[in-house]
C-alpha cells in the first residue's frame, strides 16, 4: 500500500511539473547568409536577429499572471555574442550576457508591467514600418541613428490594454553613471519613454519618444503609419533625434561613435505578397546637422528585395541596396558596413528559420 501511495505521489509531482512546464515557451531564430558591399570583402551576416528565448507565465488567479522573458542574442556564423546597443555602452554594460529581453512582470486586465531589460519603446514600434524589418543591407536608415537602442536595462515599463486597437506604453530607466566626471560634465540623468499607437484592421498609426538615461539628455522621437490594401502594405515614417556630445574620456576607442549630432530620417516602404513570398521596396532619406567634423549632409538609400517562404517557419531572401551620401563622413554613419564612402552598393542572400 505504501508503495502504491509513493508511486501516486511521484506521478502527481510529475504531472504538476509537466503542467508548470506547459506554461514555458522556448523560441528562437537562426539566420545567416552572404553580404557583399562596396568597400568590404564578402562576409556572412544575418537578416533577422539570431536568438534563443524563453518566455512563460504562472496563473496567480483572479485574472492575474506572473510573467518572465529571457533572450540570448548571438552571431550564428561564429557563435559569438552580438555588439551591445547604445544604452548599454553609455552605462558601461558592454558585456551583457542576455542582450535581448531579461525581465519579470505581472499581467492582468489592466495591462502589464515588466521590470529589468525591456524593449525600447520608440524602436519597438517604429521598426515595423520598415519592409526589411531593420535587417539586411536594405535596412532603413533609422537603424543607424546614434540614439538607437533595441533594449534598455534597469527599466520599468507599462503597456496598457488595447481599446479597439488603441493603446499606450510608458517606461522609466534608472541612471547608473558612477564613472569619474572630472571634467564637470553631468551626464547623470534618468531615462523615460512613451508611445501612443493604433493598430486595427488595415490601418496602423504611432507616435513614440525616448530620452536616454546617462546620456546628457539625448533623445529621439518618431511618428509613422501604414495601410494595407489587398496583398500590399504601404508605410511611411519620420524620426528626429539629438545626440549630445559625451564626456571626452568616456571610452577612448569610441570617441567617433560618441560625437554629438542631430539626425533626421524619413522612410517610405512597400511590401507586396507575390506568390509564396513578399516583394519589398523602400526609399530612405537622412540628414545630419552639428556633426563633430563640420561635415553635415544628406543621405539617400534605395532597397529592393524578395523573401520566398519555403514553409511557415523557413524562408530564403535576396536584397539589393544603394546608399548615396553627400560626403564620406556622413557615409560612415549611415553605410551598413560603416565604411567612409560616399556611396555603397550592397547585395545579400540568406536563409531564415524560426522555431
Amino acid at each position: 500500500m505504501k508503495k502504491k501511495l509513493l508511486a501516486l505521489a511521484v506521478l502527481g509531482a510529475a504531472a504538476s511539473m509537466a503542467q508548470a512546464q506547459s506554461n514555458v515557451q522556448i523560441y528562437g531564430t537562426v539566420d545567416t547568409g552572404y553580404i557583399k558591399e562596396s568597400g568590404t570583402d564578402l562576409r556572412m551576416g544575418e537578416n533577422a536577429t539570431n536568438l534563443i528565448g524563453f518566455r512563460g507565465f504562472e496563473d496567480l488567479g483572479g485574472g492575474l499572471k506572473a510573467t518572465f522573458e529571457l533572450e540570448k542574442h548571438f552571431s550564428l556564423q561564429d557563435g559569438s555574442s552580438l555588439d551591445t546597443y547604445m544604452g548599454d555602452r553609455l552605462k558601461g554594460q558592454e558585456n551583457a550576457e542576455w542582450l535581448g529581453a531579461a525581465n519579470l512582470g505581472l499581467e492582468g486586465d489592466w495591462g502589464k508591467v515588466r521590470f529589468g531589460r525591456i524593449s525600447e519603446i520608440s524602436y519597438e514600434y517604429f521598426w515595423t514600418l520598415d519592409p526589411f524589418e531593420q535587417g539586411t543591407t536594405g535596412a532603413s536608415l533609422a537603424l543607424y541613428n546614434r540614439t538607437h537602442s533595441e533594449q534598455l536595462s534597469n527599466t520599468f515599463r507599462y503597456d496598457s490594454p488595447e481599446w479597439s486597437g488603441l493603446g499606450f506604453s510608458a517606461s522609466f530607466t534608472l541612471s547608473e553613471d558612477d564613472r569619474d566626471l572630472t571634467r564637470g560634465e553631468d551626464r547623470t540623468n534618468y531615462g523615460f519613454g512613451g508611445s501612443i499607437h493604433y493598430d486595427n484592421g488595415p490601418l496602423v498609426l504611432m507616435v513614440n519618444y525616448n530620452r536616454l538615461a546617462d546620456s546628457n539628455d539625448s533623445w529621439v522621437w518618431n511618428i509613422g503609419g501604414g495601410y494595407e490594401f489587398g496583398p500590399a502594405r504601404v508605410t511611411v515614417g519620420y524620426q528626429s533625434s539629438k545626440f549630445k556630445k559625451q564626456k571626452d574620456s568616456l571610452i577612448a576607442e569610441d570617441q567617433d561613435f560618441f560625437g554629438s549630432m542631430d539626425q533626421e530620417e524619413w522612410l517610405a516602404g512597400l511590401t507586396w505578397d507575390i506568390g509564396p513570398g513578399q516583394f519589398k521596396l523602400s526609399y530612405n532619406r537622412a540628414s545630419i546637422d552639428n556633426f563633430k567634423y563640420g561635415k553635415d549632409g544628406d543621405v539617400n538609400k534605395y532597397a529592393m528585395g524578395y523573401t520566398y517562404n519555403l514553409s511557415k517557419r523557413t524562408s530564403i531572401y535576396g536584397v539589393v541596396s544603394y546608399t548615396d551620401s553627400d560626403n564620406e563622413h556622413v557615409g560612415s554613419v549611415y553605410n551598413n558596413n560603416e565604411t567612409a564612402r560616399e556611396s555603397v552598393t550592397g547585395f545579400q542572400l540568406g536563409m531564415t528559420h524560426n522555431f
Side-chain angles (χ1 to χ4, degrees), residues 76-118:
L76 185 69
Q77 53 268 26
D78 60 12
S80 63
S81 298
L82 293 181
D83 290 338
T84 48
Y85 307 119
M86 174 58 72
D88 302 298
R89 300 174 78 178
L90 287 171
K91 289 172 168 288
Q93 297 167 345
E94 293 86 357
N95 299 316
E97 290 294 330
W98 296 91
L99 192 59
N103 58 73
L104 185 66
L106 292 170
E107 182 176 346
D109 295 338
W110 40 266
K112 60 182 178 180
V113 294
R114 288 171 287 171
F115 303 86
R117 186 170 175 84
I118 305 167

Side-chain angles (χ1 to χ4, degrees), residues 87 90-91 173-175 187 189-192 211-215:
L90 287 171
K91 289 172 168 288
T173 303
L174 293 176
S175 169
R187 294 189 304 103
N189 62 265
Y190 295 118
F192 54 83
R211 188 184 82 163
L212 278 67
D214 293 343
S215 62

Side-chain angles (χ1 to χ4, degrees), residues 3-151:
K3 289 183 179 180
K4 289 184 179 179
L5 291 175
L6 179 60
L8 289 173
V10 171
L11 289 173
S16 297
M17 290 176 63
Q19 184 176 6
Q21 290 174 352
S22 69
N23 294 333
V24 178
Q25 176 190 3
I26 300 175
Y27 64 95
T29 297
V30 283
D31 179 292
T32 195
Y34 289 98
I35 302 174
K36 179 65 179 79
E37 294 172 311
S38 307
T40 52
D41 294 333
L42 179 70
R43 68 183 190 276
M44 295 191 76
E46 62 187 31
N47 169 23
T49 300
N50 286 285
L51 63 89
I52 182 168
F54 308 86
R55 69 165 64 99
F57 70 90
E58 180 186 11
D59 191 342
L60 302 177
L64 187 65
K65 295 179 181 179
T67 65
F68 77 90
E69 295 177 289
L70 292 169
E71 282 185 355
K72 178 77 172 180
H73 291 190
F74 59 92
S75 175
L76 185 69
Q77 53 268 26
D78 60 12
S80 63
S81 298
L82 293 181
D83 290 338
T84 48
Y85 307 119
M86 174 58 72
D88 302 298
R89 300 174 78 178
L90 287 171
K91 289 172 168 288
Q93 297 167 345
E94 293 86 357
N95 299 316
E97 290 294 330
W98 296 91
L99 192 59
N103 58 73
L104 185 66
L106 292 170
E107 182 176 346
D109 295 338
W110 40 266
K112 60 182 178 180
V113 294
R114 288 171 287 171
F115 303 86
R117 186 170 175 84
I118 305 167
S119 295
E120 196 269 287
I121 289 175
S122 71
Y123 167 80
E124 178 178 322
Y125 293 105
F126 195 70
W127 76 268
T128 62
L129 302 178
D130 179 10
F132 298 95
E133 299 178 341
Q134 300 287 273
T136 75
T137 185
S140 75
L141 295 177
L143 176 65
Y144 314 106
N145 190 289
R146 279 293 186 261
T147 63
H148 174 78
S149 284
E150 295 180 17
Q151 305 285 336

Side-chain angles (χ1 to χ4, degrees), residues 165-195:
L166 179 66
F168 69 90
S169 303
S171 67
F172 174 75
T173 303
L174 293 176
S175 169
E176 282 193 64
D177 191 351
D178 57 1
R179 291 178 290 276
D180 181 19
L181 300 176
T182 57
R183 296 176 182 266
E185 296 182 33
D186 184 7
R187 294 189 304 103
T188 305
N189 62 265
Y190 295 118
F192 54 83
S195 172

